[in-house]
Amino acid sequence: MKKILIVEDDMAICEELVELLQNNGYEASAIRQFTNVREQLLLASADLILLDINIPGLNGEMLLKEFRKESQTPVIMVTSRASEVDEVLSMSLGADDYITKPYNPTILLLRIAAILKRTEYNGEVLTYRDLVINLPKGTLTKRTEGGNSLNGETELSLTKNEMLILQTLLNNRNRIVKRDELMTVLWDNDEFINDNALTVNISRLRAKLSDFGYPDAIETRKKQGYLLLEE
Amino acid sequence: MLLKKYLKDKLFVILFGTGIFIVLFMLLVAFKVPASLKTAFTLIFWFFLVVSIGFEYARRYRFYNELKNNLDGLDQKYLILEMLERPDFYEGQIMTDILYEIDKSMTEQVKKYSLNMEDFKEYIEMWIHEVKIPISSLVLMCHNHQDALDKKYISQIKRLDRYIDQVLYYVRAEHAEKDYRIKKTDLKKMVHNVVMNNKDDLLETGVNLKLGELAQTVVTDAKWLEFILNQIINNAVKYRREDVEPEIAVWTEKKDYLVLLHVRDNGIGIPQNDIGRIFEKSFTGENGRKHAKSTGMGLYIAKNLCRKLGHGIGAESVAGEFTDIWIGFEEEKD
């Protein structure tokens, strides 16, 4: 489980952030005392740090600069000060991303996932039961008994939208994914589709999965979202 | 300084002089002095009167004329004292002394107000950053407890956030000197951010978004431009037509040495009478009265920010058909 450290002085935000991250499969912890923050950051050995710029008695930018001398742990700067000057400064000091409050929680999660993926390459091939999903090629392949022998019938190509939906469901196995989350992911990839189109895309994806013998792979939960069934 | 007016001003001196002349002349007549002496007296008297008035006039003429010419050439009239020579006649000296006093007191007063404004601006900026914190935690709470909370909460919080941003950018546009940074910026990314920011509204209202060809980069401040685009997109959503499928198209076009970014909707449009004034402060127009509530500040702030950034902004519209707002960027020079 990836460990994320939160540096945020507003307790309300802090608690909600911890909850958000834990709900999404991260191990989240927050700094409680704002003395010797640099040492705490170094000792925490987190996989990613969410760092608020404006913490009383603490200069987020200076802290980042000092921290970068000793560690390459990815840092996302979070701030309520929306100005280009601050953003450029933060990025030049070695921040990996810069997000202004109030942020869309789904977007925050996407950014975190993107950075963690960037820092630790975990292959571009995802699997679902005996299906292999090849992201760069955009294909769905059935793993046959003999290993990697393929014939034309066991490979199907997915559209970009279908791929994004499947990928999101796969990254959130065992959890209900809300329509809004799927929508955010699609829009974040410049696919500005509407509600009906999402429904259509999901039924197409279902049809393709049922071609491989998994007609009930995606379960609809009324008013909640979708769930990818493992067994 | 007109001679006629000056003489009118000196009418008393002239009349008094004439009176004295008449009295003295009658005395000369009474004492039966020779005619030549009378002539000499007359000439000498009038000579001195005219010369003294003329001399006084000349001194004043030189001073006031220079003052007036300088004043006409000045943009900031109150700076006139900087280029004023101290006059060599008494009244002028009194006047300049008084002007100095007035100017000093006014400068102090203006300075006091500008310091007050500066303080106020700083406070507003600080307040906005502060108020964003509870807003962020509300957004997170809504997300974490989605089962209990409706999506409507988020949309209201977003509305709140937009109004707050409007104040922030109003303050920045009126006062900013150091708040922005103009550099080569990825236009696609900015448009993307704005679209993502408005995702819920666009989906809710069923607006069809069409992204056309976009220029790679423009020279601007990303945060400011995103705010401007946000205002334009908000308006496009707000003033949509119910009888057609609403649509917003965004694309860039090269025109002469400009890159024009268009945001075109198929909404209710702007009446011909109003279109020239939509960027004016507090202008709401027919649409603001009839359709959605409007403060008339959004486009005003947008224009103000554009002016600071050196971009052009304009609108084209046919009532009942479409509105096309464009922002003009100077093309980058390699």
Side-chain angles (χ1 to χ4, degrees):
Chain A
M1 211 190 271
K2 293 276 187 251
K3 196 172 160 192
I4 297 178
L5 186 67
I6 301 162
V7 187
E8 162 72 66
D9 63 317
D10 186 88
M11 284 330 280
I13 292 191
C14 211
E15 277 169 32
E16 295 298 330
L17 264 179
V18 169
E19 192 179 333
L20 175 78
L21 293 171
Q22 282 171 352
N23 287 345
N24 286 278
Y26 295 106
E27 187 189 331
S29 59
I31 282 191
R32 303 271 166 216
Q33 250 149 18
F34 298 102
T35 49
N36 295 327
V37 178
R38 192 177 63 92
E39 284 74 13
Q40 289 189 57
L41 292 187
L42 289 169
L43 285 173
S45 67
D47 295 301
L48 188 140
I49 296 168
L50 285 179
L51 176 61
D52 189 299
I53 295 188
N54 308 303
I55 287 172
L58 204 69
N59 182 329
E61 278 136 1
M62 280 313 291
L63 179 65
L64 176 64
K65 197 176 167 190
E66 289 296 308
F67 179 69
R68 266 286 168 269
K69 283 182 190 161
E70 293 170 66
S71 169
Q72 286 306 312
T73 307
V75 174
I76 297 182
M77 294 295 255
V78 183
T79 176
S80 56
R81 198 177 294 275
S83 112
E84 191 64 15
V85 182
D86 289 323
E87 178 164 344
V88 171
L89 180 61
S90 286
M91 296 306 266
S92 73
L93 289 176
D96 295 81
D97 209 337
Y98 182 96
I99 292 179
T100 49
K101 289 177 192 168
Y103 36 76
N104 178 332
T106 311
I107 299 274
L108 178 69
L109 291 170
L110 286 172
R111 299 270 182 279
I112 290 174
I115 286 175
L116 287 175
K117 201 180 272 174
R118 196 196 303 157
T119 49
E120 195 182 317
Y121 185 75
N122 55 1
E124 298 255 320
V125 178
L126 285 165
T127 58
Y128 173 67
R129 301 203 216 186
D130 62 350
L131 299 180
V132 178
I133 296 111
N134 190 321
L135 292 178
K137 270 171 75 186
T139 56
L140 201 55
T141 319
K142 194 172 179 99
R143 236 188 327 225
T144 46
E145 289 291 316
N148 45 13
S149 66
L150 295 171
N151 59 47
E153 283 167 336
T154 54
E155 191 172 274
L156 266 180
S157 59
L158 297 182
T159 64
K160 186 181 169 195
N161 289 354
E162 290 160 3
M163 193 50 110
L164 286 167
I165 294 168
L166 183 59
Q167 196 188 343
T168 311
L169 290 170
L170 278 167
N171 287 336
N172 294 284
R173 289 168 206 243
N174 308 320
R175 189 175 75 80
I176 297 171
V177 178
K178 293 170 203 86
R179 280 180 74 87
D180 185 57
E181 285 175 59
L182 291 175
M183 210 55 129
T184 307
V185 171
L186 286 162
W187 279 50
D188 199 40
N189 283 284
D190 287 325
E191 294 292 330
F192 307 116
I193 65 170
N194 61 24
D195 231 41
N196 292 333
L198 178 62
T199 313
V200 171
N201 274 300
I202 285 174
S203 22
R204 282 209 197 115
L205 181 61
R206 270 207 182 108
K208 283 182 185 172
L209 286 171
S210 84
D211 284 351
F212 284 113
Y214 302 115
D216 308 318
I218 302 172
E219 192 181 277
T220 308
R221 292 287 173 92
K222 261 240 160 83
K223 292 213 163 174
Q224 294 187 65
Y226 300 98
L227 184 65
L228 194 68
L229 294 180
E230 280 296 331
E231 294 302 329
Chain B
M1 201 172 178
L2 288 169
L3 183 60
K4 215 168 106 188
K5 286 200 174 163
Y6 182 77
L7 289 180
K8 209 173 146 197
D9 202 50
K10 291 282 166 207
L11 195 62
F12 177 74
V13 177
I14 295 165
L15 286 178
F16 194 71
T18 315
I20 289 176
F21 174 76
I22 291 168
V23 170
L24 290 178
F25 197 81
M26 275 160 59
L27 272 177
L28 292 183
V29 172
F31 283 101
K32 295 190 177 82
V33 290
S36 57
L37 192 59
K38 272 188 260 176
T39 317
F41 168 74
T42 308
L43 283 176
I44 290 164
F45 184 90
W46 286 111
F47 176 75
F48 275 109
L49 193 71
V50 167
V51 163
S52 70
I53 289 176
F55 180 68
E56 286 295 295
Y57 174 73
R59 280 211 297 188
R60 283 167 180 72
Y61 178 82
R62 217 190 49 212
F63 174 71
Y64 286 111
N65 227 37
E66 197 186 312
L67 182 65
K68 203 163 172 306
N69 282 341
N70 285 340
L71 196 64
D72 287 342
L74 267 181
D75 197 23
Q76 312 275 305
K77 305 285 186 204
Y78 62 88
L79 289 174
I80 188 69
L81 286 178
E82 306 294 325
M83 41 201 309
L84 194 66
E85 251 177 82
R86 195 173 164 77
D88 52 4
F89 56 96
Y90 184 54
E91 301 139 57
Q93 286 167 357
I94 293 177
M95 198 198 64
T96 40
D97 289 345
I98 288 172
L99 276 179
Y100 271 112
E101 283 298 311
I102 293 172
D103 207 52
K104 207 174 127 207
S105 129
M106 187 208 68
T107 314
E108 276 166 13
Q109 202 70 3
V110 169
K111 177 131 202 227
K112 206 171 96 192
Y113 279 108
S114 86
L115 281 178
N116 275 346
M117 270 316 280
E118 201 51 45
D119 280 353
F120 186 61
K121 186 211 155 194
E122 268 171 33
Y123 170 64
I124 290 278
E125 284 240 9
M126 219 172 67
W127 180 84
I128 285 167
H129 300 312
E130 265 173 355
V131 85
K132 294 243 170 186
I133 292 164
I135 289 184
S136 323
S137 70
L138 279 173
V139 171
L140 279 167
M141 282 175 193
C142 285
H143 189 89
N144 284 342
H145 308 282
Q146 248 166 15
D147 321 326
L149 292 170
D150 202 86
K151 216 165 172 198
K152 287 173 193 155
Y153 289 82
I154 289 265
S155 86
Q156 292 307 313
I157 294 172
K158 279 221 166 131
R159 242 178 100 189
L160 202 60
D161 189 44
R162 273 207 288 270
Y163 288 137
I164 289 168
D165 270 346
Q166 220 177 47
V167 176
L168 176 67
Y169 282 94
Y170 174 74
V171 173
R172 283 187 176 171
E174 302 284 306
H175 301 280
E177 277 92 36
K178 52 191 189 301
D179 287 339
Y180 60 101
R181 186 191 167 105
I182 298 177
K183 66 173 175 46
K184 232 170 149 180
T185 317
D186 185 349
L187 183 60
K188 261 197 179 134
K189 198 177 151 200
M190 289 185 283
V191 171
H192 177 93
N193 286 345
V194 175
V195 169
M196 281 311 278
N197 199 15
N198 287 287
K199 177 185 125 262
D200 292 343
D201 273 354
L202 293 169
L203 280 173
E204 182 81 15
T205 51
V207 173
N208 216 336
L209 190 73
K210 287 194 172 162
L211 281 198
E213 254 331 274
L214 284 176
Q216 280 289 309
T217 55
V218 289
V219 180
T220 188
D221 175 284
K223 293 285 176 312
W224 285 33
L225 191 74
E226 280 176 21
F227 172 82
I228 296 165
L229 285 175
N230 223 2
Q231 292 301 310
I232 298 172
I233 300 258
N234 283 167
N235 281 347
V237 173
K238 199 155 123 187
Y239 299 113
R240 66 188 180 279
R241 254 186 305 155
E242 299 295 346
D243 55 331
V244 289
E245 191 188 350
E247 193 181 288
I248 299 175
V250 183
W251 78 97
T252 51
E253 168 201 14
K254 265 192 186 171
K255 203 171 185 185
D256 304 329
Y257 51 90
L258 287 178
V259 175
L260 295 182
L261 172 68
H262 290 269
V263 179
R264 182 188 167 115
D265 63 50
N266 61 350
I268 58 172
I270 302 162
Q272 211 52 45
N273 293 335
D274 288 352
I275 195 153
R277 303 184 56 199
I278 56 167
F279 294 108
E280 284 176 23
K281 194 176 187 169
S282 307
F283 179 76
T284 51
E286 209 182 302
N287 289 346
R289 278 194 302 278
K290 280 190 188 159
H291 297 270
K293 248 196 204 135
S294 153
T295 53
M297 292 303 278
L299 285 180
Y300 165 73
I301 298 170
K303 172 144 197 170
N304 229 345
L305 293 172
C306 277
R307 195 172 43 94
K308 289 237 159 162
L309 293 172
H311 306 331
I313 184 166
E316 199 186 316
S317 177
V318 172
E321 283 183 30
F322 74 92
T323 305
D324 182 351
I325 307 266
W326 55 263
I327 298 172
F329 304 92
E330 256 183 70
E331 211 171 359
E332 306 162 32
K333 287 161 198 95
D334 293 315

